[in-house]
Amino acid sequence: MKYRVVIATILIILLLTGTALAAKPIINADRTYFDVATGLYVLNGNVYIEVGSRIIKANQAKVDLASLQVWANGGVSVTQNDIYFTGDSVYVYGSKKCAQISGGVNFSRTGLSITADNVDYNWQRKEAIFSGNVKVTQGDTSWTADRVSYNVQTNVFF
């Protein structure tokens, strides 16, 4: 038992030291605990994760601070500046600056709305690739497609 406590303490110190050098995340939830067996923070109820300008909200999540990965589900929303995604689940791979949102995806920003089954978003390249039953509404114009690529910085489809 003492061995596990020592290992858990060392892991937490390493995780906190590593994240102190990067943007320090803000993580809140109704219930949180650190699962020593998996090395993940387990969050339940009103999950709020903020890293820099990105905010993830969900009902449940697991977070790996060492690899900057987040798995969240239930009422998921991902916000960054004026970009707003919602869906059933999200997987974020922070070191690759990517998020995969699935299950009834909605994307909105001023003058634009997109719905789809899934979206892959790379916040470094500012690209969102929507797939499955995509419907785009821009101003008074609407159209559908199987797959749509969109640059959120230039506001251009490609």
Side-chain angles (χ1 to χ4, degrees):
M1 183 65 180
K2 289 182 182 180
Y3 178 73
R4 283 188 174 188
V5 171
V6 169
I7 294 297
T9 304
I10 291 170
L11 272 173
I12 290 170
I13 290 170
L14 287 173
L15 289 173
L16 293 176
T17 303
T19 57
L21 301 174
K24 189 171 183 179
I26 298 169
I27 301 173
N28 293 310
D30 293 340
R31 292 175 307 284
T32 65
Y33 70 92
F34 182 75
D35 185 342
V36 177
T38 63
L40 301 175
Y41 285 93
V42 179
L43 314 168
N44 288 297
N46 297 307
V47 174
Y48 178 91
I49 302 168
E50 181 178 342
V51 180
S53 64
R54 286 173 303 285
I55 298 170
I56 299 170
K57 294 180 183 178
N59 294 335
Q60 301 173 339
K62 293 180 181 179
V63 178
D64 185 338
L65 289 178
S67 64
L68 301 175
Q69 294 180 81
V70 177
W71 299 263
N73 59 50
V76 170
S77 70
V78 179
T79 307
Q80 182 177 10
N81 303 322
D82 73 329
I83 300 164
Y84 183 71
F85 293 96
T86 62
D88 294 333
S89 65
V90 65
Y91 168 65
V92 176
Y93 195 22
S95 64
K96 291 189 176 183
K97 299 179 180 5
C98 295
Q100 298 171 330
I101 304 166
S102 59
V105 171
N106 288 294
F107 168 82
S108 63
R109 73 183 320 178
T110 306
L112 178 64
S113 172
I114 303 173
T115 60
D117 294 336
N118 305 292
V119 64
D120 291 330
Y121 176 58
N122 182 302
W123 62 84
Q124 182 175 15
R125 293 191 317 257
K126 309 294 188 222
E127 295 175 355
I129 301 171
F130 297 87
S131 59
N133 301 308
V134 180
K135 181 179 179 186
V136 178
T137 304
Q138 193 170 25
D140 295 332
T141 306
S142 292
W143 49 280
T144 60
D146 291 328
R147 182 179 163 102
V148 170
S149 298
Y150 174 68
N151 184 303
V152 298
Q153 186 171 6
T154 61
N155 201 28
V156 172
F157 292 95
F158 60 98

